[in-house]
Amino acid sequence: MGKMTTMKVEVRFGDCDPAGIVFFPRYHRWMDAASLHFFMSFGVPPWHELERINGIIGTPMLEHHTRFFKSATYGETLEIRTEVEEWRPKVFVQKHTIHRGDDLICESRETRAFCVRDPGDRARIHAVPIPEDVLAKCR
Amino acid sequence: MGKMTTMKVEVRFGDCDPAGIVFFPRYHRWMDAASLHFFMSFGVPPWHELERINGIIGTPMLEHHTRFFKSATYGETLEIRTEVEEWRPKVFVQKHTIHRGDDLICESRETRAFCVRDPGDRARIHAVPIPEDVLAKCR
Amino acid sequence: MGKMTTMKVEVRFGDCDPAGIVFFPRYHRWMDAASLHFFMSFGVPPWHELERINGIIGTPMLEHHTRFFKSATYGETLEIRTEVEEWRPKVFVQKHTIHRGDDLICESRETRAFCVRDPGDRARIHAVPIPEDVLAKCR
Amino acid sequence: MGKMTTMKVEVRFGDCDPAGIVFFPRYHRWMDAASLHFFMSFGVPPWHELERINGIIGTPMLEHHTRFFKSATYGETLEIRTEVEEWRPKVFVQKHTIHRGDDLICESRETRAFCVRDPGDRARIHAVPIPEDVLAKCR
């Protein structure tokens, strides 16, 4: 396995639903933040800078598989551990696990691609090979 | 296959990210709404009423597998089609597909359980068998 | 008073907080959607199309004053009524009221400006005069 | 002026809209978190614990007035400074300012009340006098 990063999250009142527990799409927001945090930790610039350099607008999600083991609530601190399990020519598989102390809260495997805007229609995007510079920094 | 419901969603500016496309956790919010919409369409009361009747606080997510095929942006109308693929004693598998006209935008299979609060600690929850009344109405 | 539009909102489980009521930033999301809905109802294109025509990226918020009168919960349908109270050269004041049947849920006055990106730094924006075309359609 | 707390926020990709800047309802989420952070910093328990002690479910918003001075984007760190400007018998006025280094990003004055559920209808809430214990800790 390669490099790993960690990111802390404070669970807030507004992250929780009427059952009093974290509303699950919120975990996906946090893991999305952890995904970018992974790249920026190794020197990849944020997407709005990368777009000026090579047109890349981010790493949209193609597929993910997520399991939830325990619930969490506000006032708690979670830790997200992030690594890349697999680098393929046009996609990568990123794995996140979210922990509260010794408890495993959830686990997700995300398949993402680096994408650029379609020159003919800025509202459309398509995948490009993973930039060499990203591989050199993060693999 | 059993019963199916549909739910329309208008994509809004604030649902989209700096790439100009729907930020993927938003799809999970919509599918969560479509999940409850499915049950309410067949006469199951919203969870805050159900909690008074039998203590059930909702159908927390245990696991899901989601694939994204095309992007969407604001000003577009999407349709979510929802059905239950499998009823097991304590969990059910709900499938959602999101469409824009003939385009398939994304597809998700969610494994959920009906849950009640732990009487000893209201911040903890646990699964109960799927209520007979729900099965009678929705299967 | 000039033109008015209305927009319906179905309150969903995930819009509510652990107190079981709509989490207030959610009202601001809905009123933001109602703001764009107002313009689109009178033939103004969505911002991603407007940007290609005249560079306008939206109507960022400069100031707002909001009062909340009653709470709402999921399973309820709300109606947002939107009008422009004042058109000034570079800003406009838009008023929204949110209703549940005869109940007034909240009321907000928003001051917004049409903005373009700074040509020297796409991450910065600045206000421009309200386009004549928008005034012709919406005043 | 009385006590002040500060809270750091990392702006994330998903906090930003298609214009590439923070979508304004997000500031309200952060200020809501800063509001609770203020109370917890002085020893008030999170609402889910307070509810068991005295029935208080939080401090719903009654009114706020917010001004936005500069935009922010992801990859930036913001600081929220929070204080209570006025304690009245049943409401308090909390002021937040959000800073990025020397830049003032936005400022909000929120009027909130401590609320309990209506014993006859758990979906309704009403304000109670500010608890003595809260005043003793936070004023």
Side-chain angles (χ1 to χ4, degrees):
Chain A
M1 189 62 72
K3 294 169 171 175
M4 176 184 281
T5 54
T6 63
M7 193 182 96
K8 282 225 181 320
V9 168
E10 305 290 334
V11 183
R12 297 159 181 165
F13 179 78
D15 299 325
C16 299
D17 65 21
I21 59 175
V22 174
F23 187 50
F24 80 91
R26 190 82 5 206
Y27 289 112
H28 292 295
R29 280 194 166 260
W30 293 331
M31 291 188 283
D32 189 78
S35 175
L36 176 50
H37 177 72
F38 176 90
F39 290 107
M40 289 177 64
S41 294
F42 300 117
V44 177
W47 312 136
H48 55 84
E49 290 183 22
L50 207 59
E51 186 170 6
R52 280 178 241 165
I53 299 168
N54 58 18
I56 283 171
I57 50 92
T59 53
M61 184 74 67
L62 302 181
E63 178 173 354
H64 64 93
H65 182 196
T66 305
R67 288 187 298 161
F68 301 91
F69 303 105
K70 286 178 181 287
S71 61
T73 192
Y74 61 103
E76 297 178 347
T77 301
L78 306 180
E79 185 185 271
I80 308 180
R81 297 180 195 151
T82 298
E83 58 198 324
V84 173
E85 284 194 337
E86 196 183 343
W87 299 94
R88 291 186 228 147
K90 275 206 169 179
V91 305
F92 60 96
V93 178
Q94 204 166 29
K95 180 188 169 194
H96 309 276
T97 55
I98 305 188
H99 306 260
R100 179 187 54 213
D102 291 337
D103 287 340
L104 178 59
I105 302 294
C106 82
E107 176 184 277
S108 185
R109 272 183 182 75
E110 304 176 335
T111 305
R112 293 169 175 266
F114 283 83
C115 289
V116 299
R117 292 186 203 279
D118 189 299
D121 178 357
R122 281 179 60 82
R124 294 182 62 189
I125 59 175
H126 62 83
V128 293
I130 298 175
E132 283 302 322
D133 178 56
V134 169
L135 287 172
K137 286 172 171 159
C138 303
R139 190 157 50 179
Chain B
M1 188 62 71
K3 294 170 171 174
M4 177 185 280
T5 54
T6 63
M7 191 182 97
K8 282 225 180 320
V9 168
E10 305 289 333
V11 183
R12 297 160 181 164
F13 180 79
D15 299 325
C16 300
D17 65 21
I21 60 176
V22 173
F23 186 51
F24 81 92
R26 189 80 10 204
Y27 290 111
H28 293 296
R29 280 193 167 260
W30 294 331
M31 292 188 282
D32 189 78
S35 175
L36 176 51
H37 176 73
F38 176 89
F39 290 106
M40 289 178 64
S41 295
F42 300 118
V44 177
W47 312 137
H48 54 86
E49 290 183 23
L50 207 59
E51 186 171 5
R52 281 179 240 164
I53 299 169
N54 57 19
I56 283 171
I57 51 93
T59 53
M61 184 73 69
L62 302 181
E63 179 172 356
H64 64 95
H65 182 199
T66 306
R67 289 186 299 162
F68 301 90
F69 303 104
K70 287 180 181 285
S71 61
T73 193
Y74 61 103
E76 297 178 346
T77 301
L78 307 180
E79 185 185 89
I80 309 180
R81 297 179 197 153
T82 298
E83 58 200 323
V84 172
E85 284 194 335
E86 196 181 343
W87 298 95
R88 289 185 228 149
K90 275 207 171 178
V91 306
F92 60 96
V93 179
Q94 204 167 28
K95 181 190 169 194
H96 310 276
T97 56
I98 304 188
H99 306 261
R100 181 186 53 213
D102 291 337
D103 286 341
L104 178 60
I105 302 294
C106 82
E107 176 183 276
S108 186
R109 270 183 184 75
E110 304 176 335
T111 305
R112 293 169 175 265
F114 283 83
C115 289
V116 298
R117 292 188 203 279
D118 189 300
D121 178 357
R122 280 179 60 81
R124 293 183 63 189
I125 60 176
H126 62 82
V128 293
I130 298 176
E132 283 302 322
D133 178 57
V134 168
L135 288 172
K137 286 172 171 157
C138 303
R139 190 157 49 178
Chain C
M1 190 61 74
K3 293 170 171 174
M4 176 185 280
T5 53
T6 63
M7 192 182 97
K8 283 226 182 317
V9 169
E10 306 289 333
V11 183
R12 298 159 181 164
F13 180 79
D15 299 325
C16 299
D17 65 21
I21 60 175
V22 173
F23 186 50
F24 81 91
R26 191 80 8 206
Y27 290 112
H28 292 296
R29 280 192 166 261
W30 292 332
M31 292 189 282
D32 190 78
S35 175
L36 176 51
H37 177 73
F38 175 90
F39 290 107
M40 289 177 64
S41 295
F42 301 117
V44 177
W47 313 136
H48 55 85
E49 291 183 22
L50 208 60
E51 186 170 6
R52 281 178 238 164
I53 299 169
N54 58 19
I56 284 171
I57 50 92
T59 53
M61 185 72 68
L62 302 181
E63 178 173 356
H64 65 96
H65 182 198
T66 306
R67 289 187 297 161
F68 302 90
F69 302 105
K70 285 178 182 288
S71 60
T73 192
Y74 61 104
E76 297 178 345
T77 301
L78 306 181
E79 184 185 271
I80 309 181
R81 298 180 196 152
T82 298
E83 59 198 323
V84 172
E85 285 194 337
E86 197 183 342
W87 298 94
R88 291 187 227 149
K90 274 206 170 179
V91 305
F92 60 96
V93 179
Q94 205 168 27
K95 181 190 168 193
H96 310 275
T97 55
I98 304 188
H99 305 261
R100 180 186 54 213
D102 292 337
D103 286 341
L104 178 60
I105 301 294
C106 82
E107 177 184 276
S108 185
R109 271 183 183 76
E110 303 176 337
T111 304
R112 293 170 174 265
F114 283 83
C115 289
V116 298
R117 293 187 202 278
D118 189 299
D121 178 357
R122 280 179 60 83
R124 292 183 62 189
I125 60 174
H126 62 83
V128 293
I130 298 174
E132 283 303 322
D133 178 57
V134 169
L135 287 172
K137 285 172 171 158
C138 303
R139 191 156 50 178
Chain D
M1 189 62 73
K3 293 170 171 175
M4 176 185 280
T5 53
T6 64
M7 193 182 97
K8 283 227 181 316
V9 168
E10 305 291 332
V11 183
R12 298 159 181 165
F13 180 78
D15 299 325
C16 298
D17 64 22
I21 60 176
V22 174
F23 186 50
F24 81 91
R26 191 80 7 207
Y27 290 112
H28 292 295
R29 279 192 169 261
W30 293 331
M31 291 189 283
D32 189 77
S35 175
L36 175 51
H37 176 73
F38 176 89
F39 290 106
M40 289 178 63
S41 294
F42 300 117
V44 177
W47 311 137
H48 55 84
E49 290 183 21
L50 208 58
E51 186 171 7
R52 280 179 239 166
I53 300 169
N54 58 19
I56 284 170
I57 51 92
T59 54
M61 185 73 68
L62 303 180
E63 179 173 354
H64 65 92
H65 182 198
T66 306
R67 288 186 298 161
F68 301 90
F69 303 105
K70 287 178 182 287
S71 60
T73 192
Y74 60 104
E76 297 178 346
T77 301
L78 306 181
E79 184 185 271
I80 308 180
R81 298 178 196 153
T82 298
E83 59 199 322
V84 173
E85 284 194 337
E86 197 182 342
W87 299 95
R88 291 187 227 147
K90 274 206 170 180
V91 305
F92 60 96
V93 179
Q94 205 168 27
K95 181 188 167 194
H96 309 276
T97 55
I98 304 188
H99 306 261
R100 179 186 54 213
D102 292 337
D103 287 340
L104 178 60
I105 302 294
C106 82
E107 176 183 276
S108 186
R109 272 182 182 76
E110 304 176 335
T111 306
R112 293 170 176 265
F114 283 83
C115 289
V116 297
R117 293 187 203 277
D118 189 300
D121 179 358
R122 279 179 61 83
R124 293 182 62 189
I125 59 174
H126 62 83
V128 293
I130 298 175
E132 282 303 321
D133 179 56
V134 169
L135 288 171
K137 285 172 171 158
C138 302
R139 189 154 52 178

Short mmCIF file of all heavy atoms in Angstrom, two decimals, chain B residues 36 40 44 51 61 73 90 94 100 104 115 122 139:
data_model
loop_
_atom_site.label_atom_id
_atom_site.label_comp_id
_atom_site.label_asym_id
_atom_site.label_seq_id
_atom_site.Cartn_x
_atom_site.Cartn_y
_atom_site.Cartn_z
N LEU B 36 -37.83 7.60 1.27
CA LEU B 36 -38.98 7.88 2.14
C LEU B 36 -40.24 8.10 1.30
O LEU B 36 -41.34 7.65 1.67
CB LEU B 36 -38.68 9.11 3.02
CG LEU B 36 -39.82 9.60 3.92
CD1 LEU B 36 -40.43 8.49 4.76
CD2 LEU B 36 -39.32 10.72 4.83
N MET B 40 -43.97 6.52 1.85
CA MET B 40 -45.13 7.37 2.06
C MET B 40 -46.15 7.24 0.93
O MET B 40 -47.35 7.39 1.15
CB MET B 40 -44.69 8.83 2.26
CG MET B 40 -43.99 9.04 3.62
SD MET B 40 -43.38 10.75 3.88
CE MET B 40 -44.93 11.67 3.88
N VAL B 44 -47.30 4.56 4.33
CA VAL B 44 -46.50 4.53 5.56
C VAL B 44 -46.34 5.99 6.02
O VAL B 44 -46.03 6.86 5.21
CB VAL B 44 -45.12 3.89 5.33
CG1 VAL B 44 -44.27 3.93 6.59
CG2 VAL B 44 -45.29 2.45 4.83
N GLU B 51 -42.53 7.17 14.79
CA GLU B 51 -41.82 7.06 16.07
C GLU B 51 -42.80 7.03 17.24
O GLU B 51 -42.60 6.29 18.21
CB GLU B 51 -40.83 8.22 16.25
CG GLU B 51 -39.97 8.05 17.49
CD GLU B 51 -38.82 9.04 17.60
OE1 GLU B 51 -38.72 9.95 16.75
OE2 GLU B 51 -38.01 8.89 18.54
N MET B 61 -28.95 3.94 6.59
CA MET B 61 -28.21 3.26 5.53
C MET B 61 -27.16 2.33 6.13
O MET B 61 -26.40 2.72 7.01
CB MET B 61 -27.50 4.33 4.70
CG MET B 61 -26.76 3.82 3.51
SD MET B 61 -27.92 3.35 2.24
CE MET B 61 -28.54 4.95 1.77
N THR B 73 -26.65 19.36 -14.67
CA THR B 73 -26.42 20.72 -14.17
C THR B 73 -27.74 21.41 -13.87
O THR B 73 -28.82 20.84 -14.08
CB THR B 73 -25.56 21.54 -15.15
OG1 THR B 73 -25.12 22.74 -14.49
CG2 THR B 73 -26.33 21.92 -16.41
N LYS B 90 -34.55 -8.43 8.33
CA LYS B 90 -34.19 -7.21 9.04
C LYS B 90 -33.69 -6.10 8.14
O LYS B 90 -33.45 -4.99 8.61
CB LYS B 90 -33.13 -7.52 10.11
CG LYS B 90 -33.73 -8.00 11.43
CD LYS B 90 -32.78 -7.64 12.57
CE LYS B 90 -33.39 -7.88 13.94
NZ LYS B 90 -32.43 -7.58 15.02
N GLN B 94 -32.97 -1.36 -1.66
CA GLN B 94 -33.76 -0.43 -2.46
C GLN B 94 -32.88 0.03 -3.63
O GLN B 94 -31.72 0.38 -3.43
CB GLN B 94 -34.18 0.75 -1.58
CG GLN B 94 -35.41 1.46 -2.08
CD GLN B 94 -35.98 2.40 -1.03
OE1 GLN B 94 -35.24 2.92 -0.18
NE2 GLN B 94 -37.28 2.65 -1.08
N ARG B 100 -32.53 11.62 -16.92
CA ARG B 100 -32.84 12.93 -17.54
C ARG B 100 -33.28 12.61 -18.95
O ARG B 100 -32.45 12.35 -19.82
CB ARG B 100 -31.58 13.80 -17.56
CG ARG B 100 -31.81 15.20 -18.16
CD ARG B 100 -30.50 15.95 -18.29
NE ARG B 100 -29.53 15.13 -19.00
CZ ARG B 100 -28.21 15.15 -18.76
NH1 ARG B 100 -27.70 15.95 -17.86
NH2 ARG B 100 -27.38 14.35 -19.44
N LEU B 104 -29.46 7.92 -18.63
CA LEU B 104 -29.32 7.39 -17.27
C LEU B 104 -28.17 8.15 -16.59
O LEU B 104 -27.03 8.11 -17.07
CB LEU B 104 -29.02 5.88 -17.31
CG LEU B 104 -28.80 5.23 -15.94
CD1 LEU B 104 -30.02 5.36 -15.05
CD2 LEU B 104 -28.42 3.75 -16.12
N CYS B 115 -34.99 1.14 12.11
CA CYS B 115 -34.26 1.22 13.38
C CYS B 115 -35.09 1.93 14.46
O CYS B 115 -35.92 2.78 14.16
CB CYS B 115 -32.95 1.99 13.20
SG CYS B 115 -31.71 1.05 12.26
N ARG B 122 -30.48 7.12 24.19
CA ARG B 122 -31.22 7.62 23.02
C ARG B 122 -30.31 8.00 21.85
O ARG B 122 -30.78 8.15 20.72
CB ARG B 122 -32.06 8.85 23.40
CG ARG B 122 -33.38 8.47 24.09
CD ARG B 122 -34.19 9.71 24.48
NE ARG B 122 -34.56 10.55 23.35
CZ ARG B 122 -35.59 10.32 22.54
NH1 ARG B 122 -36.35 9.26 22.75
NH2 ARG B 122 -35.86 11.12 21.54
N ARG B 139 -44.97 -4.25 -0.24
CA ARG B 139 -44.35 -5.35 -0.95
C ARG B 139 -45.12 -5.64 -2.22
O ARG B 139 -46.33 -5.54 -2.24
CB ARG B 139 -44.26 -6.60 -0.06
CG ARG B 139 -43.40 -7.67 -0.69
CD ARG B 139 -42.86 -8.61 0.34
NE ARG B 139 -43.93 -9.08 1.24
CZ ARG B 139 -43.72 -9.96 2.23
NH1 ARG B 139 -42.52 -10.42 2.46
NH2 ARG B 139 -44.71 -10.34 2.99
#
